[in-house]
Amino acid sequence: MLGEATAPGKMILFGEHSVVYRGPAVVLAIDRRAKVIAGKRDDEKVYIDADNLGFSGYFEGDEYHAVRGKAWRGRNLAALNMSTRKTMERLDVESGVNLKVRSMIPIAVGLGSSAAVNVATVGAVQRLFDGDLSKEEISNIAFEGETIIHGKPSGVDNNVSTFGGVMSYERGKGFNHHQIEGSIPFIIGNTRKKRSTKKMVETVAVLRERNPALMDNVIDVMGSIASEGLDALLKKDLKRLGDLMNINHGLLSSIGVSTMKLETLCHTARANGALGAKLTGAGGGGCMIALAEETELAEVERAIRRRKSDSYRVSLTDRGVESRRIEEKNADS
Ligand code: PMV
């Protein structure tokens, strides 16, 4: 038997960058998922097949051996090795593990791909060994894995990927989960430009050092937008939600984290019927999101594609990590 788990990606609706200082961020789990299948090995290796991402290799202890792709890819995969070993440690088992990773979440564009793969890894490995980890524990183990890649992540990504749904987060105050009936469709526009969150956060810090008082005002307004935005989201007040997205984007642009392409995509979305559009996540490339009435979605999606960008329709999802045991012969389904 094998263990299989899936976990969703995420998008930040409000509060990116301001949340680094204060105020809430509002984050949604989206219905694009990562899947991991775990099987036992006779040795002590953790073998990771991430062929659809272009690399595969195995770990002996902490040491990575590339089978396909460059050796530095070991840095991306180290989190999965760590999460796998921590999960086995917690369940008191010693074994080698094969992990097959398949993800529908584009990488390094702010959609929470690494956290989703990590959460799904913990879910699949615990299922493989008949574990009974709570969601809290799954999220915590995945978080330890995340720290290897991101240094000091906030914990938002692993949390929302584990629990699904809508989450608000404030530094020092922790996470709140919110219920929302039905679904709200969004369009994601992907510039396909990878970027580093760390670098973008540093850019904002430099700007704030030169302009402390003014930047503090901007950060406060972004925090207010996030609070109001959560209210509009929970009330499904789409017009107000769209306004707030537009205003938030203007402020993100003002602090230098937008790009020409992100601007083009936001303006394109609005000109083609979106109620609101903004960049999502760290900026400097990556993705933007647009909100539109059901009848306008297809046109917004097409318009973004005409700008030589990827575009996907996503809905927020309540489904967090899900795992099951499967027969070996069903592993490719
Ligand atoms: O693009 P992402 O998903 O890495 O989000 C970054 C969010 C920031 O607020 C810019 C940084 C952070 O740690 O909160």
Side-chain angles (χ1 to χ4, degrees):
M1 291 296 278
L2 304 170
E4 180 195 86
T6 66
K10 68 102 207 318
M11 64 184 206
I12 300 180
L13 184 56
F14 295 111
E16 50 274 270
H17 288 292
S18 51
V19 73
V20 171
Y21 301 93
R22 60 190 169 274
V26 179
V27 188
L28 315 180
I30 55 173
D31 58 357
R32 285 212 147 218
R33 302 178 75 85
K35 175 157 102 174
V36 174
I37 297 174
K40 287 180 198 163
R41 290 177 66 90
D42 292 334
D43 54 23
E44 306 235 302
K45 291 176 187 155
V46 172
Y47 186 102
I48 304 171
D49 159 357
D51 270 358
N52 83 326
L53 302 175
F55 43 96
S56 288
Y58 62 92
F59 287 86
E60 277 179 312
D62 288 341
E63 202 177 320
Y64 181 65
H65 304 267
V67 173
R68 183 170 167 224
K70 300 254 161 40
W72 65 263
R73 288 293 187 182
R75 262 184 278 147
N76 301 95
L77 298 179
L80 307 190
N81 179 45
M82 167 94 153
S83 295
T84 302
R85 294 188 191 277
K86 289 265 169 199
T87 307
M88 290 195 290
E89 204 178 293
R90 161 67 182 74
L91 298 174
D92 224 4
V93 289
E94 276 179 31
S95 176
V97 173
N98 285 320
L99 297 176
K100 186 167 166 183
V101 177
R102 297 291 178 264
S103 180
M104 296 298 289
I105 310 163
I107 51 177
V109 288
L111 298 180
S113 135
S114 73
V117 172
N118 232 328
V119 167
T121 296
V122 179
V125 172
Q126 72 121 6
R127 203 33 94 147
L128 174 67
F129 296 110
D130 266 332
D132 57 353
L133 300 189
S134 66
K135 285 199 168 171
E136 195 80 47
E137 284 179 288
I138 292 178
S139 179
N140 288 344
I141 295 175
F143 180 73
E144 288 186 53
E146 286 282 281
T147 54
I148 293 194
I149 301 186
H150 298 297
K152 264 205 278 173
S154 61
V156 176
D157 287 17
N158 52 285
N159 220 287
V160 78
S161 182
T162 304
F163 290 94
V166 177
M167 208 181 76
S168 58
Y169 162 72
E170 209 165 332
R171 221 158 265 253
K173 293 191 185 162
F175 305 102
N176 276 310
H177 293 272
H178 308 272
Q179 280 302 325
I180 182 163
E181 293 293 310
S183 97
I184 297 183
F186 289 89
I187 301 285
I188 289 182
N190 182 356
T191 64
R192 302 177 192 149
K193 184 169 183 286
K194 295 186 179 158
R195 80 288 174 278
S196 142
T197 297
K198 190 161 168 269
K199 207 176 114 212
M200 298 314 295
V201 169
E202 277 162 15
T203 307
V204 175
V206 168
L207 189 67
R208 185 165 172 264
E209 253 163 51
R210 279 201 302 266
N211 309 274
L214 185 77
M215 281 296 284
D216 274 349
N217 285 335
V218 175
I219 289 163
D220 284 342
V221 177
M222 286 178 165
S224 307
I225 293 173
S227 304
E228 286 208 27
L230 178 62
D231 180 67
L233 177 74
L234 298 180
K235 290 184 176 139
K236 288 195 162 178
D237 184 346
L238 297 195
K239 290 217 164 71
R240 206 169 124 233
L241 194 55
D243 293 341
L244 292 165
M245 288 169 69
N246 289 335
I247 298 168
N248 197 357
H249 179 78
L251 291 174
L252 287 163
S253 191
S254 79
I255 63 170
V257 297
S258 189
T259 63
M260 192 104 92
K261 190 74 180 262
L262 285 167
E263 292 302 315
T264 303
L265 296 189
C266 287
H267 283 273
T268 300
R270 290 176 198 141
N272 286 276
L275 297 167
K278 67 180 278 290
L279 69 85
T280 181
C287 294
M288 52 72 71
I289 52 180
L291 174 75
E293 300 282 3
E294 199 73 45
T295 47
E296 311 296 319
L297 284 170
E299 190 47 46
V300 174
E301 200 178 350
R302 271 197 297 273
I304 290 174
R305 291 221 173 107
R306 281 197 295 271
R307 296 290 180 172
K308 297 192 174 57
S309 298
D310 296 329
S311 180
Y312 342 95
R313 210 183 277 211
V314 295
S315 273
L316 82 94
T317 179
D318 275 339
R319 290 173 53 209
V321 63
E322 290 174 351
S323 63
R324 58 183 184 146
R325 275 170 81 82
I326 57 167
E327 303 264 358
E328 211 128 337
K329 60 179 176 8
N330 295 331
D332 282 324
S333 61

